[in-house]
Each structure stands twice: as C-alpha cells, then as structure tokens.
Amino acid sequence: MRETRSIMLRCLAVSKAIARRKPSAPLARTILFGASALASVSVAAQEAESTPVLPAERSDVAVLSAAGPHRIFNFSPFGGGGVILFEGDDPAIKSLGNVPATDNAAVALPRDASKIYLAETYWSHGNRGERSEILSVYDAQTLDLESEIPIPGHLHVVPKMSQMGLSDDDSLAYIYALVPSSSVHVVDLAKESLATTIEIPGCALVYPYGPRSFATVCGDGTIGSVTLDDDNGSSIRFSERMFDPDNDPVLENSIVDRSTGEGFFLTYTGKILSVPLGEGPISGETWSIQEAAGMEAPGTGVQELAWRPGGNQLMALHRDTGRIYVLMHPGNHWTHKVAGTEIWVLDAHEHKLLRRIPLDTPATSVAVSQGEDPLLYVFGFEGDGPGGLEVRDATTGEVLRGRGWPGFGNVFVPGN
Amino acid sequence: MRETRSIMLRCLAVSKAIARRKPSAPLARTILFGASALASVSVAAQEAESTPVLPAERSDVAVLSAAGPHRIFNFSPFGGGGVILFEGDDPAIKSLGNVPATDNAAVALPRDASKIYLAETYWSHGNRGERSEILSVYDAQTLDLESEIPIPGHLHVVPKMSQMGLSDDDSLAYIYALVPSSSVHVVDLAKESLATTIEIPGCALVYPYGPRSFATVCGDGTIGSVTLDDDNGSSIRFSERMFDPDNDPVLENSIVDRSTGEGFFLTYTGKILSVPLGEGPISGETWSIQEAAGMEAPGTGVQELAWRPGGNQLMALHRDTGRIYVLMHPGNHWTHKVAGTEIWVLDAHEHKLLRRIPLDTPATSVAVSQGEDPLLYVFGFEGDGPGGLEVRDATTGEVLRGRGWPGFGNVFVPGN
Amino acid sequence: MSERSSDNMCERFVRKVARRTSRRSLLSKLGTALVAAPIFPLLPVSRAGAATPDRPLTDFERNAQTEDPNRCDYWRHCAIDGIICGCCGGGPHTCPPGSEPSPTAWVGTCLNPDDGRHYLIAYRDCCGKSVCTPTGSDCRCNETDRDLPVYRPQSNNDIIWCFGNSSMAYHCSTAAIVGVAG
Amino acid sequence: MSERSSDNMCERFVRKVARRTSRRSLLSKLGTALVAAPIFPLLPVSRAGAATPDRPLTDFERNAQTEDPNRCDYWRHCAIDGIICGCCGGGPHTCPPGSEPSPTAWVGTCLNPDDGRHYLIAYRDCCGKSVCTPTGSDCRCNETDRDLPVYRPQSNNDIIWCFGNSSMAYHCSTAAIVGVAG
C-alpha cells in the first residue's frame, strides 16, 4: 500500500486573502491534491503589464428586488420545470431565477408577489415511497423555501389558473382537489395550517373573491359561490342554470376579479357570462364576444367555421380598464385548445370589441400586467422550438420585445 | 344545499359482463356520475351490420420476454429519463419499456440481463428533505422494482460505464463513490446488503473482473487492482506509471473484459494500454490505434490535427472476436469529447486496424452486442434533434436499421 | 408478452383513500357503496347525444386512421391528452411493463371509420412510474372531441387519472374500447 | 441584487458528511485536517505547465470572446461542462436566487484574450435546487480544454460539484476567477 496517497477530497486551508478581496496577495498556503499531483496556486503579482490583473471573485448568491408590476412568473410544472421569473421591461427577457415544482403542481401569488405558493406532491423515492402533500412557501426575492405546510392534496391536472387562488386579502389559499370528493382545501397562510376543507359536490375549481368567498363552476350548468364564516363553517349558493355543460361549457381559465367579485366566465363558443358575485342570488348577463365584434354568435357545429376562443390560459383581464383579452382562432366547435391567431380586446362592461391583435405565430396563452402601463404577455407558441415569450403594449398591441425560451405553461403577474 | 348532488368520484358497480369478455352483453347497471349528469352506458346489440362490433377490452400490463443478446438498454439519467429498452432486431426500434432513474444515477446489468441495478439518490421532497442512497433492483422482464438496497452513496457525474459494475459471476456490485473519500462500495446482491467499502485513495472508477477483483485508474498514471478475500478484506496492487495523467490520460470509458481480466485502457491520443489483470505485477504493452492504421501516432499538440478518439461511451469490445470499436474524429488535442465521424474496428490482439466505418452523422457513443451475429449500436448523434439509435452489422459496418428518438446516454447490452 | 390482471383495483383505490383521509363521513359513504357493489374498475359514462348517427364528422373523425395505434390520429384517440402507451412499450389497452392501469378513466366517444360505429373509449392512464420517454415522433397527443372541463371530470382529458394507484405518478395513456356508444 | 456570503461552507460540508456516514476512521481524519486549517472553501489547483506563454492557442482560446458571459464561448468557459448560471438568474460568480455555491469546484486554466493572461477559473456548481431551465440558446456548454478524467477530480468537468450542500441537486455552473495561473 502506498501511504503517500492521500484522501482525495479534503477541505484544506488557503489564505483568507481572497476572501478579503485582495486579489494580488500571494496565497499563504498551497493546496494538496493527491501526492502525485502536488501543485501550487500562486496569485503572485504579475510582471508589470498595461492592464490590471482581474481580481479574484467570491462566490455569492443573487437576491431579487421586490417585484414591480411587470414581474412575470411563468409556471410550467412538468419534467423538472417550475416557476421561471422574468421582468417584462428587460429587453433580453432573461430568467431572473427559477423555483422548482413537482409535475402537475399548482401555484398562486399574493398581490404583491412577495411569496410563491406551490401545491405539490412528493414521493420520498421519486415515483414511489412515502407521499407528501404540501403547500411550499417560497420567498419571491431570495427564492428560498420558507416553509412546507401539510395539506390533504390537490388535483393533478394540466395546470389551470383556477386550481388554486388566494383570498382578496391574501390571507387564505384555496386549493382545489378531486379525491376523495370534489372539494376545496382552505389554508390559513398566517397560521401555516389547514383551516378547513369544503366539499363542493358536482362542482370544481376555485375563483376567489372578497375576504372569505370563492366561486366555483358546476357540472349542471350553474355557478356556485361559497362563503366561509368566522368559524370556518361555510355556506354555498348556486345560480340558476347559466350554460349548457354538455355542449357549450364554461372554460376553466375563466376569471373572477378578486377585489370586486366580478366574474367573467367564457364558454367554448365565445359567450361571456358576466356574473357579479356579491351577496344574494347569483345571476348575470350573457353576451357574445363575436357579436361584440359585429359577427354572428357561433353555434356548436362540428363543421361550423367561426372565430372561437381557444388555447390554455386563453383569457386575461386588466382590472383598472376593464379590458378582457381573449385568444381567438378560426375553427369548428371542440377546438377549444387550439392556439389563437389573434387576440381580441374587449370592453368587459360595454361588451364591445376594442381591438383585434393579429399574432405572427399562434399562441395558447396570454396574460396582462395590472396597474398603469400594462404589458401584454403572449406565450405558448406552436411548433417544436422554444415556447417563447412575447411582450406587447397592452393598449396598442404593438410588439415591444420577445425572446425564445423553452417552456409552456401559465403566466402569473403581480397585482391580480 | 342541494342534497341530490352526489359525491363525484365513486367506485360504482357495473356488470361483470365486460370482465368476462362478453362484449355485446348489455350492462346490468347504469353508472351514476353526479345527479345532473346521469347517463347510461349501453353496450346493447347493434342493429345487424356487416362488421362485428369490436369487443370491449380489459386493461393489462405488458411483460417482456427474457433478454436475448440483442436486447438494448439505453441509459440516460437526466430530466426524468432512465433506462429505455429496445430490441436490436426490431425494425422499428421501438421502446419496449422504461425504468425511471434519478439524475446522475449509475447502472449495471448482470450478464443475462435479468435484472437492472440502479445506484440512485433521492431526497424525500425532490431536491430537499431526507436523503436516500439506494441500489434499486428491477426485474428486467416485468420492469417492477424488486428491492431497494441501502448503500452509502455513489458519485454524481455524467454517466460512465465504469462508475458501477458487477463481478464476473454477477454476485457483487461495485459502486464508485468520491466522498468522503475515493472508494468503492461492494454490495452482496444475494444478501441485498453492503459487503464492504474499499478506499482507493488517488484512484477512481471500477473495472471488475474475475470473481472478486476490480481494476481502477489512478491519478499518478498507474493502474490499480483490488482483490477481495473471503472475509471482505482487500488488497491493492499497482502497476508502474503507465500513462501521463496530465497530458495523455486514460479515458474513463475504457474496458476490462470481466471474464478474462484483459484490460484495454485507451488514452486521449489513441494509445491502448493492453493490461492483463491476473495475478502478480500489473504491466502490459502500449500500442497506438493510429499506428495500427498505418498513421503516425499523434502527440498532445493543441494545434496538431490528427485522427483522435472522442465522445462519451466511445469504445466497445466484442469479446469473442477480440474486436475493439472506437469512435474517431479529426481534431487537435483536448477534443476528447468531440463526436466521432468514423468508427475504427481494431483487432485487440494483433493491434491491427480491420475496418474504418464512416458515419453519416457524428456520434458520441458506440456499443456492440456479444456472442454471434453481433450488432453495432451507434447513438448520441449531434444536433438539436432526437438523439437516435442506429443499428449496424458489427462485422461489415453496414446500417441495418435505425430510428430517431430522444435521448443521450450510455447503452448497455447483455453478455458483457 | 403476457398479461397481468388489473382486478380489484377499485377496491385498492378505496382502501388507499381510506388510509389517507380523515374525513369519516365520506368514507362511510364510500364504504356503503362498496358493500352493495361488485368490485370492478370504475367505468366512464356516455355523454347523451354524442353519437347521433347523422351529425357531421369532426375534423378528427374525418382524418382518423385505423392502422397505426401509435399515432395521434388513430381513431380511438379522438379525446386523448397525453403520451400514447404504445410508444412506451404498451398498447391501446396495455400498460408498459412496470406501470399499472388506473382503475379510473376519462372517456371519449370515437367513431371507428371501419365499421361506422361510435365506441366508448376509456382513456386509462398507466401510473406508478415516472413520465414515459416515448420513442416515436407522433406520441404526444391532445385531441379534444367532446372534451369537457374538470367540473365534468369523466369527460375531461386534462386530469391525471391515477387515483388509487400505488403512486399517482403519470406514465402514459391507453385508449381501451369499453363498448359501443348507445 | 445583493449578496449573501458563502462563508463556512467547508465547515458545513464536513459536518454533513459526519452526520451521514458511519465510517469513523475516515471522519477522524477529516476532523483532524480541519482543526489545523482555517475554514474556507476548497480551492482548486493549477496544473503544472498549463499556462506556458509560448504554446499555441487551443481552438477554444482562438474563438473566445469577453463580451457576453452567457455564451459557451465566453473566455472563462474553456473547461466548463454544464448550464451557465448567468442563463438562470445568476452570473459568472453568482448563483441564481435560492441556490448555493458549492464549497468545492473543478478548475480550468483559461486565457483572457483582453490581457493575454491565463487565469485559474473555479467552476463552482450552484446546488440545492433542481436543474435550472436556462433562457438563452447557448447556455448548455461542454468545453474541454485540459479537462482530465474523474481520477483527477479537480480537473474534471463531469462531476457534480455539490458535495456538502444542503442537497446535492445540481442547478447550474459558475466560472469564478480564482487568480492568475502561475
């Protein structure tokens, strides 16, 4: 045995010179790395040259600034993806960092985007072993995991905006689950614990509004609304039948304004159910976005070509101006996942088409920043290449910047 | 509250008619699915038509036949990949199934490929939580997990053939690890437990041979060989310095024949160290594959263009015929990971070039099946598209079949 | 290739749920339902009106083929969303080795162009194993004929149908014939 | 962006190893080494002869640029294998938010074309977080100037250099200047 062979990996000493950022100070010690590979690191002063020697660098970790209204949170919980953060004003649309998520996780952001909440399922050995159902809480500036709140579970599904959401005051998280029964888990975010679980048989998804309420969509064509009382008891109200669930159902990525409780439920054929979800009976008016555009409202024909909504996250609302953005494509009925070739901009209250924005490449998803100077984010582009993210002026529709990058998924923005 | 709304997901009864494969028998019961969505499934006899009704099908699970010599195990432990099985004789080169593996797992197969051994690291919450270091044992026909043997760990590295291997009789698994010191964990596969850990300071990787021995390569330019005694004690021998570890090191994916103990260690510049690893002192002869091809042996010049070995799993040995296959490309020194544009076929004992096989697309990896009618597998193609797997006649080099499919990695074959 | 039975899955499903949840009222309901019922995988429901013989064909139905089950345009795939198990070592009703068919499924009503009949197709996911790496260029599909939102779960193709499996990890999706659509 | 110190990492490394292993003899050796040594991240070694001023340039050195650190041909990347942290919210010596620099690293000796000097570059991996999804088209690199096999681990670019981190999950790789190659 050769005793001179030393252990390969040792935490050996070097001078603290580098730590103190004195780049040209000679190292006080050498580093041993195997007896036969002894060599010295010398940061000795170079012979005088015209350019200075580049200083030694200390490894550090980036921390983000607090999110402004143009921070972008792209969510793609598949194959090791998760949340990728961008800044809408960054000309390069370069990642600011990312947060991993399990396959089919769900996500929600508080209005100031100071946290990222992820409903996740883990098995201790990847696809097997002990199961953990948790709500992971990340600090959205350090991207450090802050806590893991045990929850009963969440629905594993192609990600939808309405799988999970926060109460208007950001104090409660509502998480939709399908087994053992269709229900919503309510998490008290301050206490970091489950507050209650509310069964919503026959209905699914959560559209929070106000301090302690959420809407839900039901398989019989009604809209439900659940309100929690102070003891976490709950009551549910239903509308009359407002849509045909077999032939022209409400799309999952419909929108309820968290603050005002105004619901905008979009159907496969392009009807919007405008439903104020305050007190009392739930009802509302139904209007057609094609009629708002001066066209005929299409029916449910499988060979009835018309402009129709389609995609994944196919609808966005700019709350202050009441503008609704919808991805539209020409197609027959049952093409509700087809990528949009245009974005239609509609006045949510006047029921008027304001603008049609043609897209160079069809896209499946759209989002809009809140507040002043809104930016329109278009993503989920078709094709084999990188998914891309295009940033447009939300008022004019003009392309401001964009960049190909890999991904698909949903985009979340602060202020919603 | 509407009491008629039933729980959404129930395991409700249906007739056993379908289970008994009587496809046209009417269902005895209806399926309830929410009060408002009541509908009946009727497999009633159709009105007489010319073609028979297709029978109802029962879900089942595929099980593979025992591996023949042309079974292929492609290993790509990144981003949710793992082992994908193919049959070299399948004209479509279609997946037979796959076994998941953690990022940077290591793999080994017994000679009959009846099992798949994976050294894996799991954290209970994906990238965090409790760590498990295990050797996962899969049945290679059912692809079911049979057991998880706790081990101290394995090196996380771009996968290499020599990270892990089995003794000639398939009874021991040798798993290379770097921390806390360079060492080899020996697992008794019958007892499903760790037999011992052997430190190999200054050396790395395992090239098993015989019942209880393995070679290893050392940072000072020597080859080591460890032999276990019956009590799992061990002794190590070293060769004299056989290569220049700073300038012309031995490549990691070098080969030792498990049965004969013949080692073929290939260096960056294309030298092969033929080292018989039996009893006594370790020594051998060094020959140049370029000289075997009638060329000059290249040096280590960074602007010295020559045919050089390069790639990932860049070398294969057909044991019965003593043929060595090496991926070669024209390049300077330090291009040892560049994809090969040719495969050179060499006689391991005569030190002669037998054939140069030009490749249509440069590839980083090569493998050969053992026994009669050997097949040559070329994979790890360059470019953005699917990695692909090309099957060639190992004697003539002729392309037999091939197919693009996503992936990169190593290929393991039975009989090695 | 041989077969392994997927019997008793529904039973296992309910037992697993029982272990995992603390909501006793629900469990007792489920338990009662089981006592009265033979054990068999949950079958999907037909959607009324899906198979009207004289309605026009959807684009999928116009283009569907019956030869290659490992392509998205195979007739049974009219409402599939996922990776075809045939690209992963399985088949139209066969899970790849080492995975398990889900006891639950979503359903499509697809036209077989060879016999002109509409069949109920159960898109049973194969589960318990990480996502399959398919070999083939047309293995990841998203067809939406009569696909409904998750509040109509049995007609929704976005849900991971791995409830009650040893783990809910999704591997791929099959398209088994359940019967003729009535 | 602000910074967080990566001090005391080596110490944490050894402590974690101590908790994880049962091999007491080794631990005592490591423990002894530590008592004698200030706590500081392990620094890589120079390879003798790497920086001979009059040797010809490698292909990488001929083509290297000093403008865009988020491309593979940036001068410091002469021996990198991995995803550039600058494509993930980090920088040449900065880990992306939420990840941790490894206390250990492999080393390259790279020529800075702007000053003609060879620098020792520590390719410290950022760890503790799943693999980064880079944004950019030239972020996954595999450069091999003077890259040696794993039996010369500190010059090997294939090893996941996440020893001693909270978890060994690999996120991306940085390329920090350690000093001028002597």
Side-chain angles (χ1 to χ4, degrees):
Chain A
M1 245 0 145
R2 300 186 186 190
E3 296 187 351
T4 55
R5 285 167 194 266
S6 61
I7 295 168
M8 270 194 142
L9 206 68
R10 276 188 184 166
C11 281
L12 285 167
V14 296
S15 160
K16 288 195 172 172
I18 289 171
R20 290 179 194 133
R21 306 201 175 207
K22 291 179 183 163
S24 62
L27 286 176
R29 296 168 189 237
T30 57
I31 295 170
L32 299 177
F33 189 68
S36 61
L38 196 153
S40 70
V41 177
S42 164
V43 194
Q46 289 281 112
E47 289 150 271
E49 291 186 29
S50 53
T51 56
V53 170
L54 295 177
E57 296 164 335
R58 183 169 179 177
S59 288
D60 52 17
V61 180
V63 174
L64 302 179
S65 61
H70 291 173
R71 184 73 44 92
I72 304 171
F73 297 78
N74 181 275
F75 183 57
S76 186
F78 301 109
V83 182
I84 308 181
L85 288 77
F86 297 91
E87 197 63 41
D89 297 318
D90 171 14
I93 307 290
K94 207 170 131 311
S95 168
L96 302 178
N98 59 77
V99 173
T102 54
D103 282 3
N104 299 105
V107 72
L109 297 182
R111 188 160 278 133
D112 66 0
S114 60
K115 310 278 181 196
I116 300 169
Y117 298 104
L118 289 172
E120 301 189 280
T121 305
Y122 287 101
W123 288 272
S124 56
H125 287 187
N127 59 11
R128 60 188 190 264
E130 195 180 342
R131 181 171 174 163
S132 301
E133 299 280 0
I134 55 174
L135 183 66
S136 302
V137 183
Y138 284 88
D139 180 291
Q141 290 185 247
T142 64
L143 304 191
D144 282 339
L145 180 71
E146 290 197 336
S147 60
E148 297 179 332
I149 305 173
I151 57 173
H154 73 282
L155 176 62
H156 290 207
V157 68
V158 175
K160 298 172 195 314
M161 309 295 284
S162 48
Q163 271 182 275
M164 179 172 162
L166 304 186
S167 60
D168 187 41
D169 60 3
D170 290 328
S171 69
L172 301 176
Y174 303 104
I175 303 164
Y176 177 67
L178 179 58
V179 286
S181 68
S182 194
S183 53
V184 174
H185 303 303
V186 183
V187 175
D188 184 317
L189 294 171
K191 291 187 184 160
E192 300 198 339
S193 64
L194 186 72
T196 185
T197 293
I198 300 166
E199 281 186 49
I200 50 169
C203 310
L205 304 173
V206 280
Y207 304 85
Y209 68 93
R212 295 177 79 81
S213 300
F214 63 85
T216 185
V217 185
C218 305
D220 60 359
T222 65
I223 305 286
S225 175
V226 173
T227 298
L228 279 83
D229 61 30
D230 291 340
D231 302 323
N232 292 326
S234 63
S235 58
I236 185 163
R237 299 171 286 145
F238 295 97
S239 72
E240 292 305 301
R241 191 176 192 267
M242 293 187 76
F243 63 91
D244 176 352
D246 288 311
N247 297 297
D248 191 18
V250 154
L251 287 152
E252 296 145 334
N253 283 310
S254 292
I255 290 170
V256 171
D257 183 324
R258 275 209 280 163
S259 299
T260 64
E262 285 181 291
F264 302 97
F265 297 94
L266 174 63
T267 74
Y268 282 25
T269 63
K271 294 192 193 97
I272 289 182
L273 284 53
S274 288
V275 183
L277 289 155
E279 305 284 308
I282 300 170
S283 65
E285 67 184 314
T286 299
W287 51 286
S288 155
I289 57 180
Q290 293 90 342
E291 284 180 354
M295 299 173 186
E296 214 173 309
T300 59
V302 299
Q303 289 299 330
E304 182 186 352
L305 189 65
W307 281 98
R308 295 174 187 273
N312 174 30
Q313 183 179 338
L314 78 183
M315 185 182 187
L317 170 69
H318 185 254
R319 293 158 59 229
D320 292 351
T321 57
R323 284 194 187 132
I324 291 175
Y325 299 80
V326 182
L327 279 164
M328 301 291 287
H329 68 280
N332 301 318
H333 196 51
W334 305 120
T335 58
H336 50 285
K337 287 188 182 178
V338 165
T341 55
E342 292 190 359
I343 294 170
W344 288 17
V345 189
L346 298 140
D347 186 307
H349 303 110
E350 302 294 322
H351 306 174
K352 272 192 201 154
L353 179 77
L354 301 174
R355 189 179 290 272
R356 290 170 62 171
I357 305 171
L359 301 178
D360 296 328
T361 307
T364 58
S365 295
V366 66
V368 66
S369 72
Q370 297 301 331
E372 292 185 11
D373 304 317
L375 297 177
L376 183 63
Y377 308 121
V378 188
F379 53 103
F381 294 106
E382 282 188 328
D384 292 333
L389 176 66
E390 198 174 71
V391 180
R392 290 173 179 257
D393 182 307
T395 308
T396 65
E398 180 196 357
V399 177
L400 300 177
R401 59 197 72 96
R403 176 159 174 170
W405 59 275
F408 160 87
N410 297 76
V411 157
F412 290 76
V413 297
N416 261 331
Chain B
M1 251 349 152
R2 300 185 187 191
E3 295 187 351
T4 55
R5 283 166 196 265
S6 63
I7 295 166
M8 270 193 144
L9 206 69
R10 277 187 183 168
C11 283
L12 284 166
V14 295
S15 160
K16 286 193 174 172
I18 289 171
R20 291 179 194 133
R21 303 193 177 215
K22 291 178 184 165
S24 61
L27 286 176
R29 295 164 189 244
T30 57
I31 296 170
L32 300 176
F33 191 67
S36 62
L38 196 152
S40 69
V41 177
S42 165
V43 194
Q46 288 282 113
E47 289 150 273
E49 289 188 28
S50 54
T51 55
V53 170
L54 294 177
E57 294 164 339
R58 185 171 179 172
S59 288
D60 52 19
V61 180
V63 174
L64 302 179
S65 61
H70 292 172
R71 183 71 46 91
I72 304 170
F73 297 78
N74 181 275
F75 183 58
S76 186
F78 301 108
V83 182
I84 308 182
L85 288 77
F86 297 91
E87 198 62 41
D89 296 318
D90 171 14
I93 308 290
K94 205 171 132 309
S95 167
L96 303 178
N98 59 78
V99 173
T102 54
D103 282 3
N104 298 106
V107 72
L109 298 180
R111 190 160 275 133
D112 66 359
S114 60
K115 310 276 181 198
I116 299 168
Y117 299 104
L118 290 170
E120 302 188 277
T121 304
Y122 287 100
W123 288 272
S124 56
H125 288 187
N127 60 10
R128 60 188 190 266
E130 194 180 342
R131 180 171 174 164
S132 300
E133 299 279 1
I134 54 174
L135 183 66
S136 302
V137 182
Y138 284 88
D139 180 291
Q141 290 185 248
T142 64
L143 305 190
D144 283 337
L145 180 71
E146 290 196 337
S147 61
E148 297 180 332
I149 306 173
I151 57 174
H154 74 281
L155 175 61
H156 290 207
V157 69
V158 176
K160 297 172 195 313
M161 308 295 284
S162 49
Q163 271 183 276
M164 177 172 163
L166 304 187
S167 61
D168 187 40
D169 60 4
D170 290 329
S171 70
L172 301 177
Y174 303 106
I175 303 164
Y176 177 67
L178 178 57
V179 286
S181 68
S182 195
S183 54
V184 174
H185 302 305
V186 184
V187 175
D188 185 317
L189 294 172
K191 291 185 184 161
E192 300 198 338
S193 65
L194 186 73
T196 186
T197 293
I198 300 166
E199 280 185 51
I200 50 170
C203 310
L205 303 174
V206 281
Y207 304 84
Y209 67 93
R212 295 177 78 80
S213 299
F214 63 85
T216 185
V217 185
C218 305
D220 59 359
T222 65
I223 306 286
S225 174
V226 173
T227 299
L228 279 83
D229 61 29
D230 291 340
D231 302 323
N232 293 324
S234 62
S235 58
I236 186 162
R237 300 171 285 145
F238 295 98
S239 72
E240 293 304 304
R241 191 176 193 266
M242 293 188 74
F243 64 92
D244 176 352
D246 287 313
N247 297 299
D248 191 18
V250 154
L251 287 152
E252 296 145 335
N253 283 309
S254 292
I255 291 171
V256 171
D257 184 325
R258 274 208 281 162
S259 298
T260 65
E262 287 180 289
F264 302 97
F265 296 95
L266 174 64
T267 75
Y268 282 26
T269 63
K271 294 193 194 98
I272 289 182
L273 284 53
S274 288
V275 183
L277 289 155
E279 305 285 309
I282 299 170
S283 66
E285 66 183 317
T286 299
W287 52 286
S288 155
I289 58 179
Q290 293 90 342
E291 284 180 353
M295 301 172 183
E296 214 172 311
T300 58
V302 299
Q303 289 299 330
E304 182 186 354
L305 189 64
W307 281 98
R308 295 175 188 272
N312 174 28
Q313 184 182 338
L314 77 183
M315 185 184 191
L317 170 69
H318 185 254
R319 293 157 61 229
D320 292 351
T321 57
R323 286 195 183 130
I324 291 176
Y325 300 80
V326 182
L327 278 165
M328 301 290 289
H329 68 280
N332 301 318
H333 196 54
W334 305 119
T335 58
H336 50 285
K337 287 189 184 178
V338 165
T341 55
E342 292 189 0
I343 295 169
W344 288 16
V345 189
L346 299 139
D347 187 308
H349 303 110
E350 302 295 323
H351 306 175
K352 273 194 199 150
L353 178 78
L354 301 174
R355 189 181 288 275
R356 290 170 61 170
I357 305 171
L359 301 177
D360 297 328
T361 307
T364 59
S365 295
V366 66
V368 67
S369 71
Q370 297 300 331
E372 293 186 10
D373 305 318
L375 296 177
L376 183 64
Y377 308 121
V378 188
F379 52 103
F381 294 105
E382 283 188 326
D384 292 333
L389 175 64
E390 198 173 69
V391 180
R392 290 175 180 255
D393 182 308
T395 309
T396 65
E398 179 196 358
V399 177
L400 300 177
R401 59 197 73 95
R403 176 158 172 170
W405 60 274
F408 160 88
N410 296 74
V411 157
F412 290 75
V413 297
N416 261 331
Chain C
M1 299 197 182
S2 67
E3 294 182 0
R4 290 183 297 178
S5 162
S6 61
D7 268 354
N8 293 327
M9 283 200 171
C10 189
E11 187 182 41
R12 281 192 283 137
F13 170 36
V14 175
R15 285 184 180 159
K16 273 172 194 285
V17 169
R19 272 199 296 269
R20 209 167 62 71
T21 179
S22 61
R23 316 197 63 250
R24 297 207 167 271
S25 62
L26 254 178
L27 284 173
S28 59
K29 284 189 214 172
L30 276 160
T32 309
L34 270 176
V35 169
I39 299 308
F40 191 75
L42 179 68
L43 274 181
V45 298
S46 165
R47 202 182 56 72
T52 314
D54 51 357
R55 68 165 172 74
L57 298 181
T58 67
D59 288 341
F60 182 92
E61 288 163 345
R62 289 181 173 208
N63 299 318
Q65 50 86 19
T66 58
E67 299 300 315
D68 185 351
N70 296 336
R71 277 169 40 202
C72 293
D73 63 1
Y74 184 59
W75 70 276
R76 298 184 187 190
H77 294 159
C78 73
I80 203 169
D81 183 355
I83 300 170
I84 302 172
C85 286
C87 297
C88 308
H93 60 86
T94 303
C95 286
S99 65
E100 307 170 341
S102 172
T104 55
W106 88 96
V107 67
T109 304
C110 298
L111 174 68
N112 178 355
D114 284 350
D115 67 9
R117 292 188 184 92
H118 284 85
Y119 288 86
L120 288 179
I121 305 296
Y123 298 107
R124 289 196 191 101
D125 287 342
C126 297
C127 308
K129 223 172 153 171
S130 307
V131 177
C132 149
T133 304
T135 53
S137 54
D138 191 30
C139 298
R140 297 174 195 269
C141 311
N142 196 353
E143 306 297 339
T144 56
D145 277 5
R146 291 169 292 278
D147 159 60
L148 299 178
V150 296
Y151 51 83
R152 297 294 293 274
Q154 296 267 301
S155 299
N156 175 269
N157 70 9
D158 282 347
I159 295 171
I160 303 294
W161 283 102
C162 290
F163 306 110
N165 288 92
S166 61
S167 90
M168 269 202 59
Y170 169 84
H171 191 57
C172 58
S173 300
T174 62
I177 294 176
V178 172
V180 173
Chain D
M1 301 196 182
S2 68
E3 294 180 4
R4 290 184 297 178
S5 164
S6 61
D7 268 353
N8 293 326
M9 284 203 173
C10 191
E11 187 181 40
R12 281 194 280 138
F13 170 34
V14 176
R15 285 182 179 162
K16 273 173 194 283
V17 169
R19 271 200 296 269
R20 210 168 60 72
T21 179
S22 60
R23 315 199 62 253
R24 298 207 168 271
S25 62
L26 253 176
L27 283 174
S28 58
K29 285 190 213 172
L30 276 161
T32 308
L34 270 178
V35 168
I39 299 309
F40 192 74
L42 179 66
L43 272 182
V45 298
S46 166
R47 201 181 55 73
T52 314
D54 52 356
R55 68 165 172 76
L57 298 182
T58 67
D59 288 341
F60 181 92
E61 287 164 347
R62 289 180 173 208
N63 299 318
Q65 50 86 19
T66 57
E67 299 300 316
D68 184 353
N70 297 335
R71 278 168 40 200
C72 292
D73 63 359
Y74 184 60
W75 70 276
R76 299 183 186 192
H77 294 159
C78 73
I80 204 169
D81 183 356
I83 301 170
I84 302 172
C85 286
C87 298
C88 310
H93 60 87
T94 303
C95 286
S99 64
E100 305 171 342
S102 172
T104 55
W106 86 99
V107 69
T109 305
C110 299
L111 173 68
N112 178 357
D114 285 350
D115 67 9
R117 292 188 184 92
H118 284 85
Y119 288 86
L120 288 180
I121 305 295
Y123 299 108
R124 289 197 191 101
D125 288 341
C126 297
C127 307
K129 220 169 154 172
S130 307
V131 177
C132 149
T133 302
T135 52
S137 54
D138 193 30
C139 297
R140 297 172 195 271
C141 311
N142 195 354
E143 306 297 340
T144 57
D145 276 6
R146 292 169 290 278
D147 159 59
L148 299 177
V150 296
Y151 51 84
R152 296 295 291 274
Q154 297 266 303
S155 299
N156 175 270
N157 70 10
D158 282 348
I159 294 171
I160 303 295
W161 284 102
C162 290
F163 306 109
N165 288 91
S166 61
S167 89
M168 271 201 59
Y170 169 83
H171 191 56
C172 59
S173 300
T174 61
I177 293 175
V178 172
V180 172

